[in-house]
Amino acid sequence: PNLDELAREGLRFTQMYTASPVCSPSRAGILTGRYMMRSGIYPGVFTPMNSGGLPDNETTIADSLKGAGYATGMVGKWHLGVGAQEEHLPTH
């Protein structure tokens, strides 16, 4: 019932555009609202062996929501980099 009320009183997104056909750039686009080339997440997929990742200066939707007082969390695949010191993980 809560989801029905949320849909009735809020916005419903029925179509989605992704900036890339592979996961790392498209995830960066969804989280930052920016084209993958602008956030540096292009053209491929980050693996644990890559040293790069989502730059620290990128503002994500979680950052914006947290600033508005919401509690945020992460579930599922990250695929936006690990880094040598795990600096690109969402728990950093």
Side-chain angles (χ1 to χ4, degrees), residues 51-71:
S51 61
L54 186 66
D56 290 338
N57 64 344
E58 285 294 341
T59 302
T60 66
I61 190 169
D63 295 326
S64 297
L65 290 171
K66 191 178 284 188
Y70 287 87

Side-chain angles (χ1 to χ4, degrees), residues 15 21 28 40 75 89:
Q15 295 180 337
V75 177
L89 291 176

Side-chain angles (χ1 to χ4, degrees), residues 10-78:
L11 295 174
R12 292 182 65 197
F13 298 99
T14 59
Q15 295 180 337
M16 178 65 176
Y17 170 79
T18 183
S20 173
V22 294
C23 65
S24 294
S26 62
R27 286 172 196 282
I30 290 169
L31 289 176
T32 66
R34 295 173 45 129
Y35 288 116
M36 66 236 169
M37 282 93 54
R38 294 188 179 189
S39 63
I41 312 298
Y42 181 77
V45 176
F46 283 116
T47 68
M49 281 59 89
N50 295 118
S51 61
L54 186 66
D56 290 338
N57 64 344
E58 285 294 341
T59 302
T60 66
I61 190 169
D63 295 326
S64 297
L65 290 171
K66 191 178 284 188
Y70 287 87
T72 62
M74 188 275 191
V75 177
K77 285 183 6 179
W78 175 242

